[in-house]
Amino acid sequence: NPWTVSKVLGVLHEDVHIISSIDVPWVGFGGAIEDSRFVVGAWTHREPLEAVQQLPETRSSSPVLNPVNVYSIVDEDTPVVGRPGTVSVEGDVHALRVNHYVDLMAWQCDSCTVHDAGMSWAVDKLKEALPEPR
């Protein structure tokens, strides 16, 4: 995926004065567990992106806020209230997402069937930085 947070924000830079928030959609990761001591390496199956993108009114997301244009944010279930004349941008799951590891405590993600090794670079970095447990 060629998109990064800095690229997405760079694209929106010209409109930053009218943006109050960007809702970054969550994509569920879970299902079959791989042999890894790191969360990002253990769960490498996710929900299909098309299914997540089709349900914007019911999906969970994390807001990236423009503090200059936000009046309030109450909790994750309440929309961001922006200043008059500002907009909240709905994030595209194909450009930017939050990987939500839903199966940490119990199997919950029956729809996590798409293999996605996009975080393998992080596993390599973690292995370099953290010694093996004894």
Side-chain angles (χ1 to χ4, degrees):
N1 185 353
W3 290 97
T4 62
V5 173
S6 59
K7 279 189 179 181
V8 170
L9 296 179
V11 168
L12 298 172
H13 180 73
E14 291 181 16
D15 298 318
V16 71
H17 63 284
I18 63 166
I19 296 174
S20 58
S21 66
I22 303 167
D23 290 322
V24 181
W26 291 1
V27 174
F29 272 72
I33 300 174
E34 303 289 330
D35 183 22
S36 177
R37 62 189 173 111
F38 303 107
V39 169
V40 296
W43 285 277
T44 59
H45 290 81
R46 63 165 166 78
E47 301 172 286
L49 297 181
E50 295 72 24
V52 174
Q53 190 69 32
Q54 290 174 0
L55 304 171
E57 65 281 346
T58 60
R59 74 169 182 227
S60 296
S61 62
S62 295
V64 175
L65 304 175
N66 180 350
V68 174
N69 290 338
V70 173
Y71 273 145
S72 72
I73 181 168
V74 178
D75 59 35
E76 65 185 42
D77 297 322
T78 306
V80 172
V81 178
R83 294 183 181 275
T86 62
V87 295
S88 180
V89 177
E90 186 72 34
D92 181 343
V93 73
H94 296 282
L96 190 62
R97 69 182 189 217
V98 172
N99 291 351
H100 180 59
Y101 294 90
V102 297
D103 284 354
L104 289 177
M105 301 302 168
W107 184 289
Q108 302 177 59
C109 193
D110 291 330
S111 62
C112 292
T113 58
V114 178
H115 186 261
D116 185 330
M119 292 300 292
S120 60
W121 65 270
V123 173
D124 295 338
K125 294 283 186 188
L126 288 166
K127 285 179 181 176
E128 289 174 16
L130 300 172
E132 288 287 330
R134 296 177 190 198

